[in-house]
Amino acid sequence: MVDADDAQEEFGWKLVHGDVFRPPQRGMLLSVLIGNGTQIAIMSLITLIFACLGFLSPASRGALMTCAIVCYVLLGTPAGYTSARLYKMFGGEKWKKNVVMTAVACPGVIFGIFFILNIVLWANGSSAAIPFTTFIALLALWFCVSTPLVFIGAYLGFKRPVSENPVRTNQIPRQVPEQTLYTKPLPGILMGGILPFGCIFIQLFFILNSIWAHQYYYFFGFLLVVYVILIITCSETTILLCYFHLCAEDYNWWWRSFLTSGFTAVYFFLYCVYYFATKLEISDGTSTFLYFGYTLMLTFILFLFTGTIGFLACFWFVRIIYSVIKVD
């Protein structure tokens, strides 16, 4: 029960303190996505820092890609650890399935798209196709280096005690009141991606030019600043919308916080469609298929990255505000 003094002040977000840490539906999937998103966030930061320090030449695109892949493979431990800690907090018991999905699911999607695109390139006899031996090497890195590291991270995560929530969860779920239009999940998710996308909008044009129009990209220092601004904007937007929803007594924030900032990736995809229609002169079907295949891959990576940033920011925020409530 809440103290009598505080009963007077009970309103909005304070009313849902007994439900705010209720585990979400499909907690396994959410923990896997957050684990992989953490891996991508750290990988992109390290790659950008190396590029800023001049270790990676803008003229050599292969160096940038190689650095990103090596970083991703070696960062399996944070992915396994984050996923395991979250899944354990959600009260999940199928830990073996959680570990395998963290190691296989998201890299599998990216690798699957990449493999299909390469088959198309091989069929057309293109010089851009990746040799079969490189594919075997990538698979070996994935299964022989990344996967064992995910298992180590998950082992460390499951060994640690469950993180204590600041408030106790009630046994009976509280009914969520009827929501107004702007506090319903979909409008919030649609709005949430606009601001973060606005931050990266200008840089996207130059990045897409460097990929598709064969121009060199030299602004890595500026890109690092944009990366930091993107993280701050994703965090602030998601926290603000999360607070509005909690004040409206809607405590289902877990998935919403991930999808709100993750929706930035949908705007990115729409911008890529616009770029394709207005800036590129591609007429044959194979090139169109390749363009949208690679775009889909980048969209998925950005979705995991921005979604994870939004989720972790909200997770931190919710724990902070509920830790100040006096509950017996």
Side-chain angles (χ1 to χ4, degrees):
M1 289 293 292
V2 181
D3 292 348
D5 299 338
D6 294 324
Q8 302 295 320
E9 298 171 23
E10 283 271 303
F11 68 93
W13 61 272
K14 289 186 181 181
L15 289 170
V16 293
H17 68 82
D19 295 275
V20 76
F21 291 105
R22 190 174 300 287
Q25 292 182 313
R26 299 187 182 81
M28 163 90 77
L29 179 60
L30 182 61
S31 59
V32 166
L33 292 174
I34 299 296
N36 280 278
T38 307
Q39 192 175 4
I40 288 166
I42 303 171
M43 171 209 79
S44 46
L45 178 64
I46 293 172
T47 307
L48 270 176
I49 289 170
F50 276 149
C52 288
L53 295 174
F55 292 122
L56 307 171
S57 163
S60 169
R61 291 197 189 127
L64 196 70
M65 202 66 215
T66 306
C67 178
I69 289 170
V70 169
C71 285
Y72 183 82
V73 165
L74 294 176
L75 288 165
T77 308
Y81 181 80
T82 310
S83 177
R85 292 280 288 156
L86 265 181
Y87 185 61
K88 191 174 180 181
M89 198 181 79
F90 294 156
E93 290 171 0
K94 298 178 183 170
W95 62 270
K96 289 177 187 171
K97 188 180 174 187
N98 172 262
V99 178
V100 172
M101 277 183 68
T102 306
V104 173
C106 298
V109 170
I110 296 164
F111 194 84
I113 297 171
F114 195 52
F115 186 65
I116 291 164
L117 295 175
N118 236 44
I119 287 173
V120 172
L121 286 170
W122 280 332
N124 284 280
S126 168
S127 59
I130 289 174
F132 187 69
T133 48
T134 310
F135 253 104
I136 299 298
L138 285 172
L139 274 173
L141 279 172
W142 178 14
F143 286 111
C144 302
V145 181
S146 183
T147 304
L149 287 172
V150 170
F151 274 75
I152 291 168
Y155 172 75
L156 295 171
F158 279 119
K159 280 269 286 183
R160 290 200 61 185
V162 182
S163 353
E164 282 293 315
N165 292 323
V167 283
R168 226 178 22 248
T169 302
N170 295 340
Q171 286 185 326
I172 301 163
R174 180 191 177 87
Q175 192 173 359
V176 177
E178 185 66 33
Q179 299 294 308
T180 55
L181 178 66
Y182 68 91
T183 56
K184 283 184 177 169
L186 194 60
I189 290 168
L190 288 170
M191 285 188 296
I194 295 173
L195 267 176
F197 175 74
C199 297
I200 57 171
F201 172 70
I202 302 297
Q203 283 303 298
L204 273 186
F205 176 72
F206 295 113
I207 292 168
L208 291 175
N209 270 352
S210 77
I211 298 171
W212 302 109
H214 306 291
Q215 295 177 8
Y216 292 128
Y217 187 86
Y218 292 103
F219 314 113
F220 288 118
F222 193 62
L223 188 60
L224 184 61
V225 174
V226 171
Y227 173 88
V228 173
I229 292 171
L230 174 64
I231 288 177
I232 293 167
T233 317
C234 278
S235 306
E236 290 184 346
T237 310
T238 317
I239 286 172
L240 186 67
L241 287 166
C242 176
Y243 182 69
F244 283 154
H245 288 118
L246 288 174
C247 286
E249 296 174 41
D250 184 354
Y251 53 83
N252 300 307
W253 63 274
W254 301 98
W255 272 106
R256 195 192 288 121
S257 63
F258 181 80
L259 294 173
T260 298
S261 51
F263 210 79
T264 308
V266 176
Y267 292 113
F268 166 77
F269 184 80
L270 295 174
Y271 178 76
C272 287
V273 173
Y274 165 78
Y275 180 84
F276 177 82
T278 57
K279 301 286 188 289
L280 296 179
E281 292 171 6
I282 295 177
S283 51
D284 65 301
T286 308
S287 300
T288 305
F289 180 74
L290 287 171
Y291 175 84
F292 282 104
Y294 282 119
T295 300
L296 206 61
M297 208 157 72
L298 289 171
T299 303
F300 182 63
I301 290 168
L302 186 68
F303 171 69
L304 288 176
F305 169 66
T306 50
T308 299
I309 296 301
F311 175 86
L312 293 176
C314 259
F315 184 61
W316 170 81
F317 169 74
V318 170
R319 287 182 79 88
I320 291 285
I321 63 167
Y322 283 97
S323 64
V324 299
I325 289 186
K326 296 192 193 94
V327 180
D328 289 338

